Amino acid sequence: DLAALLALARLSEIDFGELIKNVNSVLDDSPSASVREVLAAHPASQGLASVVGLLSLAARHGTVEQSTEHLQWVGVDGSERAAEVRTHRFTGSIQ
């Protein structure tokens, strides 16, 4: 769940500036975007920390839906990772 992911991510600095830029880039071409869609356009440069950062930003600056989506990323160790999470959707650019 999100709380467990947040606890793990506290071990590293999350580059929120990069994540906001990535979200806004995807939203330039679409009125909304899920975390999965942002990751598809901009792979998680910090592994889990990027994923948790995107989920956190979407929870604050978007919506959390009842549906779920499958997230995939490559960890900082080079291993493929995945998680099934509630759909977090950005509904407007982040300032």
Side-chain angles (χ1 to χ4, degrees):
D1 69 10
L2 182 57
L5 291 175
L6 286 170
L8 288 172
R10 285 192 178 108
L11 300 174
S12 65
E13 282 289 315
I14 297 174
D15 187 348
F16 283 103
E18 175 187 67
L19 297 176
I20 289 169
K21 181 179 138 198
N22 293 348
V23 168
N24 289 340
S25 170
V26 173
L27 291 173
D28 283 344
D29 299 321
S30 179
S32 71
S34 70
V35 168
R36 183 188 57 76
E37 292 165 333
V38 174
L39 287 172
H42 303 279
S45 65
Q46 292 184 286
L48 178 62
S50 294
V51 174
V52 171
L54 286 170
L55 292 169
S56 175
L57 286 170
R60 284 185 285 160
H61 300 282
T63 61
V64 180
E65 301 172 2
Q66 292 300 315
S67 61
T68 61
E69 67 180 352
H70 186 76
L71 304 181
Q72 293 180 287
W73 68 95
V74 175
V76 292
D77 63 356
S79 297
E80 292 187 18
R81 307 279 189 220
E84 192 78 20
V85 300
R86 288 181 61 192
T87 302
H88 286 63
R89 182 166 301 281
F90 296 96
T91 55
S93 63
I94 303 171
Q95 301 305 317

